[in-house]
Amino acid sequence: MEDQISRGLEGVAVAETRLSYIDGDAGELVIGGFPVEELAPNAAYEESVFLLLHDRLPDAEELDAFRADLAARRGVGGEVQQVLRQAAAEDEPAMDALRMGVAAANLGHDDGGDADPETQARRAIAVLPTIVATYWRYRQGKDPVEPREDLRHAANYLYMLTGEEPGDAAARGLETYLNSVVDHGLNASTFSARVVVSTESDLVSAATAAVGTLKGPLHGGAPGPALEMLREVHASDDPEGYVREKLDAGERLMGFGHRVYRTRDPRAAVLEAAAERFYGADGDTEFFGTVRSFEDIAVDLLAEHKPDRTLETNVEFYTAVLLDGVDVPRELFTTTFAISRVGGWMAHALEQREDNRLIRPVSRYVGDTGRSWTPAAER
Ligand code: ACO
């Protein structure tokens, strides 16, 4: 019998998970049992990660111990700094530098592929912000800022980027973002991580593959272009003309459409509320006004453009607005997504290990058969 082809594996279930649940028709996302609207604005990022790894929230003592453990694993050695300095000197994009940094992160460190799996997971989660910030400092022609163990995960990341301790509102805004996108079912990068671990490879390799997968514009690469689009629209003052021009040219609008949601992405509302704070009384209220009216216009015109497909706002639209609001540089939007999602990648990798089966689908052969060999000189 011919194998059925499921292009893009759409709708195909290949694993059971307790980590997150998406109802794409109802527009609901549950992370570790909590609706995203409940978890994201309240949790510390470390609490979200503990929840994913242990299927419950930590008590106060456990949280302190978990935080301290992650904070102690933040450092990178001179060898890794060297890789990142070189990547910055050669103007490599941030996601490429992150991929190199993750692959190299265990040089001079003993939490690598030989360590027990949860140690590998904790190290990967702890070290990503340091890799990104170190690269960014070199890009700016500055020395890296050493991580501070007394700061929470999100605040320490902002601190390492600028050398200045962030205000509570910015740290909370970033933390809400990190919690919102920490896990999201079997998205492409998480699937990559699971495939790697299913071969009984290690978690550092899984994280490296996942970073490579997240890089593409159909997955994690959208918020940078989404912000550029919003800035252009704001400057042009003609949102409708802008959208029509893009759609007529056959281009996709960044920040809209989703493989799973047939509604507005529930994370959009969480991030919109968090972003609003930064564009409130003292911020750029005019820009935020443009963002909101652009969203309405874009959704209406996308419905006109593709009446048979619901194309609503996805997570990346307000990600762009929120991250810009808390002063994460546009070039680091996708790497900041990775800083969050590594929590989900590692939890999925550990879950895969618990009940592993090699992930090995099949392809249908459509090539020639029965060819006979001709030596090169006679072709
Ligand atoms: N703008 C314009 N048209 C679109 C958009 C968009 N944002 N999204 C989908 N379409 C159109 C496609 O052109 C396609 O039309 P066609 O059938 O005439 O070719 C139709 O809608 C269906 O699109 P698919 O690519 O089949 O939808 P899929 O579910 O595979 O794609 C995706 C989802 C990749 C996110 C898509 O909507 C897209 O490219 N969006 C823009 C990029 C983006 O925002 N990415 C971030 C996604 S969120 C995340 O990964 C965290």
Side-chain angles (χ1 to χ4, degrees):
M1 198 186 83
E2 285 272 285
D3 293 309
Q4 281 285 328
I5 290 198
S6 182
R7 288 181 73 241
L9 294 179
E10 196 160 353
V12 177
V14 300
E16 286 189 333
T17 185
R18 57 162 179 76
L19 299 171
S20 59
Y21 166 74
I22 305 162
D23 183 334
D25 294 322
E28 285 169 14
L29 169 61
V30 172
I31 300 176
F34 292 89
V36 65
E37 298 80 1
E38 176 87 9
L39 183 76
N42 291 312
Y45 177 70
E46 291 92 326
E47 285 175 294
S48 294
V49 171
F50 188 101
L51 172 67
L52 291 179
L53 296 183
H54 301 289
D55 201 22
R56 63 180 176 82
L57 288 174
D59 65 26
E61 210 175 298
E62 288 171 323
L63 178 58
D64 283 348
F66 188 64
R67 261 196 194 131
D69 182 81
L70 287 183
R73 297 181 195 279
R74 284 178 181 154
V76 293
E79 303 87 341
V80 180
Q81 289 183 335
Q82 176 57 34
V83 169
L84 298 169
R85 187 186 298 124
Q86 190 68 24
E90 294 187 15
D91 283 343
E92 294 288 351
M95 279 301 275
D96 295 71
L98 177 60
R99 191 196 63 241
M100 296 175 213
V102 171
N106 295 306
L107 287 174
H109 214 277
D110 53 12
D111 285 355
D114 297 339
D116 73 89
E118 185 162 336
T119 301
Q120 292 176 44
R122 288 179 181 217
R123 166 68 173 159
I125 293 162
V127 81
L128 254 70
T130 315
I131 294 170
V132 173
T134 302
Y135 158 83
W136 186 245
R137 297 287 296 178
Y138 286 133
R139 275 301 287 264
Q140 305 306 300
K142 295 178 178 159
D143 286 332
V145 175
E146 287 295 313
R148 263 185 42 196
E149 292 195 17
D150 60 315
L151 293 177
R152 279 156 69 149
H153 197 77
N156 175 62
Y157 174 47
L158 292 175
Y159 166 72
M160 289 189 296
L161 289 175
T162 61
E164 280 166 32
E165 205 174 312
D168 289 346
R172 182 63 251 172
L174 179 64
E175 202 149 43
T176 298
Y177 167 72
L178 296 180
N179 294 330
S180 299
V181 301
V182 67
D183 198 48
H184 201 242
L186 213 53
N187 58 87
S189 54
T190 301
F191 183 57
S192 290
R194 277 201 181 245
V195 170
V196 171
V197 168
S198 84
T199 69
E200 297 188 1
S201 179
D202 62 283
L203 273 71
V204 180
S205 300
T208 310
V211 169
T213 312
L214 185 67
K215 180 184 165 189
L218 299 191
H219 192 5
L227 183 67
E228 269 160 28
M229 173 182 81
L230 288 169
R231 291 281 174 208
E232 275 176 41
V233 169
H234 189 52
S236 82
D237 217 17
D238 178 18
E240 188 167 335
Y242 181 93
V243 176
R244 285 195 190 282
E245 204 176 295
K246 290 264 176 209
L247 296 181
D248 289 349
E251 288 180 37
R252 294 187 175 208
L253 286 188
M254 291 295 129
F256 297 91
H258 200 276
R259 177 59 69 80
V260 181
Y261 292 114
R262 292 295 166 259
T263 59
R264 193 176 192 237
D265 188 322
R267 298 166 296 179
V270 174
L271 300 180
E272 180 187 13
E276 195 170 7
R277 202 181 306 177
F278 292 92
Y279 295 88
D282 304 332
D284 193 345
T285 43
E286 259 184 48
F287 177 63
F288 200 64
T290 300
V291 167
R292 279 204 159 131
S293 62
F294 178 79
E295 183 186 4
D296 293 341
I297 291 166
V299 170
D300 286 350
L301 293 181
L302 282 167
E304 218 176 81
H305 178 69
K306 286 265 156 246
D308 51 341
R309 177 107 187 176
T310 313
L311 295 174
E312 284 271 359
T313 317
N314 67 40
V315 65
E316 304 293 28
F317 186 78
Y318 280 105
T319 289
V321 181
L322 175 59
L323 292 185
D324 190 49
V326 302
D327 283 339
V328 171
R330 176 220 168 292
E331 294 89 334
L332 301 186
F333 284 1
T334 310
T335 46
T336 304
F337 186 178
I339 282 171
S340 162
R341 185 56 63 82
V342 67
W345 293 336
M346 294 297 97
H348 275 269
L350 291 170
E351 203 178 47
Q352 180 72 32
R353 283 177 55 90
E354 279 166 23
D355 181 26
N356 189 39
R357 172 133 179 100
L358 175 68
I359 298 175
R360 204 308 187 183
V362 293
S363 49
R364 183 190 296 162
Y365 183 65
V366 294
D368 250 337
T369 54
R371 288 175 169 168
S372 54
W373 187 254
T374 318
E378 292 169 29
R379 282 173 218 155

